């Protein structure tokens, strides 16, 4: 060999050769058998069904209570609505008196002395139309109450 030249050593297999290559199938370790899985499924299903039924009874009782509360409060809400209606009708009548005080022959609730509804007694209550109800009010409020809103 020449001076300064390195010695080359070939890589060879180890003594006795390489180990065997494991190419066979390695089965997965089973934690549960089919019976255990079926039993767990049945327990989860029936347990869930039991909890569902308990919740159904609870929801049913809650709906019944809510409905009872609604039925108890509803007459008061209708009375408040009727009270507000009568209050607004009285304000409309007072405004009509102020506006028409200088018009000769004008009487409140009539059209120049002629009753609007001739076939019914004068004491009979007739619900005012929407335009009559909001006649002296804000136009925006009338439009808000007069239109159908699909979403709020």
């Amino acid at each position: 060999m020449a001076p300064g030249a390195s010695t080359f050593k070939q890589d060879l297999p180890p003594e006795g050769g390489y180990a065997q290559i494991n190419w066979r199938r390695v089965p997965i370790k089973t934690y549960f058998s089919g019976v255990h899985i079926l039993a767990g499924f049945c327990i989860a299903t029936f347990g869930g069904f039991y909890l569902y039924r308990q919740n159904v009874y609870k929801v049913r009782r809650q709906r019944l209570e809510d409905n009872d509360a609604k039925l108890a409060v509803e007459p008061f809400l209708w009375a408040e609505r009727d009270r507000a209606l009568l209050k607004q009708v009285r304000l409309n009548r007072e405004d009509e008196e102020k506006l028409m005080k200088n018009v000769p022959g004008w009487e409140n609730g009539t059209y120049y002395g002629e009753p609007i509804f001739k076939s019914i007694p004068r004491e009979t209550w007739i619900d005012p139309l929407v335009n009559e109800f909001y006649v002296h009010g804000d136009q925006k409020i009338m439009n808000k109450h007069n239109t159908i809103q699909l979403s709020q």
Side-chain angles (χ1 to χ4, degrees):
M1 276 204 164
S6 66
T7 60
F8 178 75
K9 182 166 181 167
Q10 172 123 9
D11 222 6
L12 296 171
E15 298 273 335
Y18 290 108
Q20 291 284 339
I21 297 175
N22 188 6
W23 55 271
R24 295 176 192 237
R25 181 177 172 268
V26 179
I28 297 175
K29 184 176 179 185
T30 57
Y31 294 102
F32 302 106
S33 68
V35 174
H36 291 132
I37 292 174
L38 183 62
F41 173 75
C42 290
I43 289 171
T45 300
F46 290 118
F49 183 70
Y50 172 75
L51 293 175
Y52 170 77
R53 292 295 291 172
Q54 292 298 318
N55 189 42
V56 164
Y57 292 138
K58 186 177 180 181
V59 167
R60 219 179 263 165
R61 284 192 307 267
Q62 185 65 39
R63 283 185 185 164
L64 181 65
E65 186 177 336
D66 290 347
N67 193 30
D68 287 347
K70 179 183 170 187
L71 289 175
V73 170
E74 194 169 6
F76 296 107
L77 296 176
W78 282 101
E80 281 297 316
R81 186 193 73 108
D82 292 344
R83 184 178 157 280
L85 175 89
L86 292 174
K87 189 176 177 182
Q88 183 61 40
V89 168
R90 172 172 277 170
L91 289 174
N92 287 350
R93 222 174 242 214
E94 290 171 0
D95 287 345
E96 183 181 353
E97 284 178 5
K98 287 180 194 173
L99 286 173
M100 303 302 282
K101 66 182 174 186
N102 296 330
V103 177
W106 185 265
E107 183 182 334
N108 255 352
T110 64
Y111 185 70
Y112 289 100
E114 289 288 321
I116 297 172
F117 300 102
K118 297 180 181 180
S119 61
I120 58 173
R122 186 168 171 82
E123 298 82 27
T124 305
W125 173 258
I126 304 291
D127 283 334
L129 300 174
V130 174
N131 291 340
E132 293 173 355
F133 184 75
Y134 289 106
V135 69
H136 300 293
D138 189 9
Q139 189 72 24
K140 291 178 183 175
I141 296 174
M142 183 185 80
N143 289 339
K144 179 182 173 188
H145 288 98
N146 207 13
T147 56
I148 297 172
Q149 294 180 351
L150 297 178
S151 64
Q152 291 188 10

